Amino acid sequence: KAGVTQTPRYLIKTRGQQVTLSCSPISGHRSVSWYQQTPGQGLQFLFEYFSETQRNKGNFPGRFSGRQFSNSRSEMNVSTLELGDSALYLCASSSLTGGAIYNEQFFGPGTRLTVL
Amino acid sequence: QKEVEQNSGPLSVPEGAIASLNCTYSDRGSQSFFWYRQYSGKSPELIMFIYSNGDKEDGRFTAQLNKASQYVSLLIRDSQPSDSATYLCAVRGAGNNRKLIWGLGTSLAVNP
């Protein structure tokens, strides 16, 4: 079974631009979560989508948005980029089977975003 | 604010020793607990999960859960230099949304 894929793997943007990152979950997984990871800050939760609906949202400004399509693929968008947005953006998928309490997340390789 | 706390380390152990990584959590209703390993520059990969009190073993790894003390640990037996990484603890809370809360990770260095 193919793992979680993310595109692009690397991205360089300048302040004020906007960026769209893409994530394809493991086949059959309907939940996609997005995280930002920077040195010293750990994994910061952005949002979680399940069946095209946002289930959870972290404490990020409205410049960060996301969506999920009917095939479970997800995109996240960051508008008006700031220097502090430079980070590794990770996508994780989960089956979220009803009634199962473990539902582990599987991560993609991430997109390394550099804002100049 | 529900929290998951880990000692940032670095934890340094000699090759062949047992490495013990600890994690405490604040939400008493938490239901499931995960350990991930993250090598530098790579994404986290799942080592194991546990949801019942007691021990769960998988090869050289043992997860221990004590819900009364709100404490989960990961033991790595016969540590190898390839185990050198950051270990992340994640806790899934109770409720319909069951949000996953992450610790900041413990850096482990296994010295040959």
Side-chain angles (χ1 to χ4, degrees):
Chain A
K1 205 181 235 188
V4 179
T5 59
Q6 291 186 246
T7 56
R9 293 291 311 278
Y10 302 92
L11 208 47
I12 299 176
K13 292 285 188 179
T14 57
R15 281 183 301 172
Q17 288 188 308
Q18 68 97 23
V19 65
T20 299
L21 311 181
S22 180
C23 171
S24 293
I26 292 171
S27 177
H29 284 192
R30 295 165 63 191
S31 170
V32 172
S33 297
W34 287 91
Y35 295 90
Q36 181 195 67
Q37 189 175 40
T38 55
Q41 291 294 316
L43 278 171
Q44 301 290 308
F45 173 72
L46 282 154
F47 22 68
E48 178 188 10
Y49 287 88
F50 179 76
S51 292
E52 301 178 68
T53 300
Q54 189 179 88
R55 282 166 46 97
N56 279 306
K57 189 177 188 303
N59 298 321
F60 277 81
R63 300 186 296 109
F64 292 82
S65 62
R67 58 177 175 169
Q68 187 180 34
F69 302 96
S70 58
N71 62 357
S72 294
R73 190 178 70 84
S74 177
E75 288 180 348
M76 69 161 281
N77 184 278
V78 188
S79 63
T80 319
L81 284 166
E82 301 177 358
L83 295 178
D85 296 333
S86 294
L88 179 66
Y89 289 87
L90 291 161
C91 162
S93 80
S94 173
S95 62
L96 270 188
T97 305
I101 65 171
Y102 34 89
N103 285 313
E104 59 270 35
Q105 292 187 347
F106 297 92
F107 284 85
T111 295
R112 174 76 61 183
L113 172 65
T114 301
V115 182
L116 302 176
Chain B
Q1 174 75 7
K2 298 179 174 58
E3 294 180 346
V4 174
E5 295 189 356
Q6 299 180 253
N7 189 323
S8 61
L11 174 65
S12 184
V13 300
E15 184 174 356
I18 296 176
S20 178
L21 304 158
N22 304 317
C23 172
T24 59
Y25 59 94
S26 62
D27 182 2
R28 210 167 257 289
S30 297
Q31 295 185 314
S32 47
F33 309 84
F34 304 83
W35 283 102
Y36 284 79
R37 176 177 61 198
Q38 185 174 24
Y39 291 112
S40 180
K42 302 293 186 182
S43 59
E45 55 179 329
L46 179 69
I47 299 174
M48 61 194 306
F49 64 85
I50 186 169
Y51 55 89
S52 298
N53 271 329
D55 296 359
K56 179 181 179 182
E57 187 174 317
D58 184 0
R60 296 187 296 111
F61 299 95
T62 299
Q64 298 177 317
L65 175 60
N66 184 325
K67 288 187 177 181
S69 300
Q70 296 174 242
Y71 173 97
V72 57
S73 64
L74 179 71
L75 301 179
I76 306 175
R77 289 182 301 281
D78 188 24
S79 295
Q80 301 296 310
S82 59
D83 294 326
S84 298
T86 295
Y87 289 80
L88 301 168
C89 172
V91 176
R92 190 176 291 282
N96 290 333
N97 288 335
R98 295 183 286 170
K99 195 174 175 178
L100 203 58
I101 310 296
W102 293 82
L104 293 180
T106 297
S107 175
L108 173 66
V110 180
N111 305 308

